[in-house]
Amino acid sequence: MAADIVLRGGAVVDATGGRRADVLVHDGVVTAVDGDLEAPASALVLDAGGCVVAPGLVDLHAHLRQPGREEAETVESGSRAAALGGYTALVAMPNTDPPIDSAAVVREVLELGAGACCDVRVAGAITKGRRGEELAPMGEMAALGVRIFTDDGNGVQDARLMRRAFEYSSALGVLLAQHCEDDELAEGGHMHEGEWSSRLGIPGIPVEAEAMMVARDVALAELTGAPVHFLHLSTAMAIAMVRAAKAADLPVTAEATPHHFTLTDEAVASYDPLFKVNPPLRPRADIDAVKAALADGTIDAIATDHAPHPQEAKELPFDQAPPGMLGLETALALAIDELDLPLERVLALLSWQPAHIAGLAGQHGGPIAEGAAANLCVIDADARWVVEPERLASRSRNTPYAGRKLTGKVRHTVLRGEPVVVDGEAQR
Amino acid sequence: MRHLLSVADLGPDGIEEVLRLTDNFVEVSARAIPRVPALRGKTVVSLFYEDSTRTRLSFETAAKRLNADTMNFSVSSSSVNKGESVRDTVTTIAAMGVDAIVVRHSSAGVPWQVARWTDAAVLNAGDGWHEHPTQALLDCYTIRERRGSLAGLRVAIVGDVKHSRVARSNVLAFSLLGADVTLVAPPTLLPPSLAGWPVAVSHDLDDVLPKADVVYLLRMQRERQTEALLPSLREYTALYGLTRDRAKLLGDDTIVMHPGPMNRGVEIAAEVADLPGAVITRQVANGVAVRMAVLFLILGSGGDLGG
């Protein structure tokens, strides 16, 4: 049994508000939250002075690359990066090799995650092989605890198949999540279509490629009554559709990534594939729309779309390089820095709201109270640091934020009562 | 100037400097022995990932006339076919001690990447749809040769602007030198956004031709009709080709230009390409002198232009 832990001297912030309190953890559970706790002599005391003690963050969207692309990331290395970023749970995307489209692969990834620094959950594929042709065995995967299904990396193009997927999934109590991209309209594109793509001579992806699939799936959610979650929304046009759907009380949720509220398509002028991502970086007006949607509740969660790639892949010509960037270790600080929101709202977007969407409420996302699961992070919201790619825990180095000065750093992370990050150092 | 990646690197003064220097090298090229020792001891490598006979030959001829050593690294005969990355190839070439790398690649931006990986000077010989700065410089020189200056000239660039590195570099260069540029193309062959482009747009070639001082025709690639950008090449020629009939609309002094290779009968009628106003072979001839000027500016030590 693990030693007791006391988080000493911090301010507890969760969905119920903020208060100055120490937190006592015993046997994986929060056993006391109070002003000045008397700690057992044997307890590990973690200094939370000047810090916020929050429910651990929950990432709805991480690519851990295992099985199949272990040179880029493993469940172990990706989970370590997550814990260092304050996450206690993440959802691993199914575009692995082989894809997570069967109970066997779900089991494999869950086993790999068993001893990891983070609670590793799995998203299953909607269709076999993520090919968009036949339904994957969602029932078998749901029986293993899979709560989110997506063909992420691809959108399901066939409207009839997507309708059937919504209908079938509604009996399983699971959530379908869509990578919104009309393949025909996006065909051949490598960045946002607009002023910069025109100038740089790079084929573009128009915003309509995202918006058209959002429009279709809002219609299908209404038709079938099944809930839909929109992954990594990046455009004002799609966000307006989600806002209207929510106003009509349709069962719609959405996420956005830190890079879509911090970087514009102008960054591609360097021709550095570190800035290639899908959906692509957008112009300022879309960034402002993402920020406004995070502030007004149209977008429910910040998700990283953490997408590791080895150096050689990111040194290919721009139009040959794979899309994707790291995110787990920088998301919290970028949200603190770039969103003009109080910390409690930032944490709602990073912790309890995504926990709810992932079906993890009760285990992750707080509130921090006696009897709650001890999945916690301690954040020094004023700590200043510089992103150094070679110091990241990911196996890959493809962060677009090298050299960027950020404010807000994770000091400790506690997973099921175990200290997995102490003073910014991973313990596993 | 360390590299020549984009026309924008030069600015109007830089372009003028290249054009002034080119005058000297045109004179050198006319000599019985068209050589000067300006770059003796320097090594220039051409690294071409895309077929290009004329641009590669033009650069190599320019380097040789400056007495530089030249190496030619072409994809078909190299380790690239064995899966070597651009970066490893560049590192290998740089390790041989080269002074300049002339890069052509079918992907936009590769010369920028190469410039990050080597201390050698990098010259962009065409990157995807993006830029082809020495083509723009030789086009400016050719126009200046005929008309003295580009200031106030009305230039029509006709054809597939969307996929054209020649168009992107020329729009920059022509407008930096004071010309008024009009793009003439069907909407499907224009870039999706022209925000920030100092150009006018027309879809009516017959309206533009009588007013143009320079008509610059772009090469039309046959695959555009399979991408639903055009109904047919025949319709393209009917609407946007410089046909024999349409050539009658040209002014007496109007210059007709084309970067080559031409599709005679598609964007330009065979006879039109041979009219007195057509300066297409002059462009090729000037290409060598312009590239000598660029290599000299980047690699030369200043005072050793033996002339």
Side-chain angles (χ1 to χ4, degrees), chain A residues 245-257:
Chain A
K246 287 191 164 190
D249 283 329
L250 293 175
V252 167
T253 55
E255 66 182 40
T257 71

Side-chain angles (χ1 to χ4, degrees), chain B residues 11 16-17 29 56 72 86 90-91 122 136 172 205 239 248 285 300:
Chain B
E16 290 289 358
E17 189 179 2
S29 295
R56 188 170 53 76
N72 177 18
V86 176
V90 166
T91 306
V122 177
L172 276 172
L205 186 57
L239 292 172
K248 293 173 189 154

Side-chain angles (χ1 to χ4, degrees), chain A residues 7 12-15 30 52-60 82-90 117-119 302 332 346-356 360-368 372-379 410 412-417 420:
Chain A
L7 301 174
V12 170
V13 175
D14 60 19
V30 173
V52 164
V53 179
L57 312 186
V58 175
D59 189 12
L60 291 171
L84 287 163
Y87 290 90
T88 55
L90 59 77
C117 283
C118 187
D119 190 350
I302 296 168
L332 171 67
V346 169
L347 292 171
L349 291 162
L350 283 162
S351 177
W352 43 95
Q353 288 174 189
H356 194 78
L360 294 173
Q363 299 164 70
H364 293 273
I368 300 173
N375 294 308
L376 305 164
C377 68
V378 176
I379 300 162
V410 171
H412 316 299
T413 306
V414 175
L415 175 69
R416 294 185 289 262
V420 288

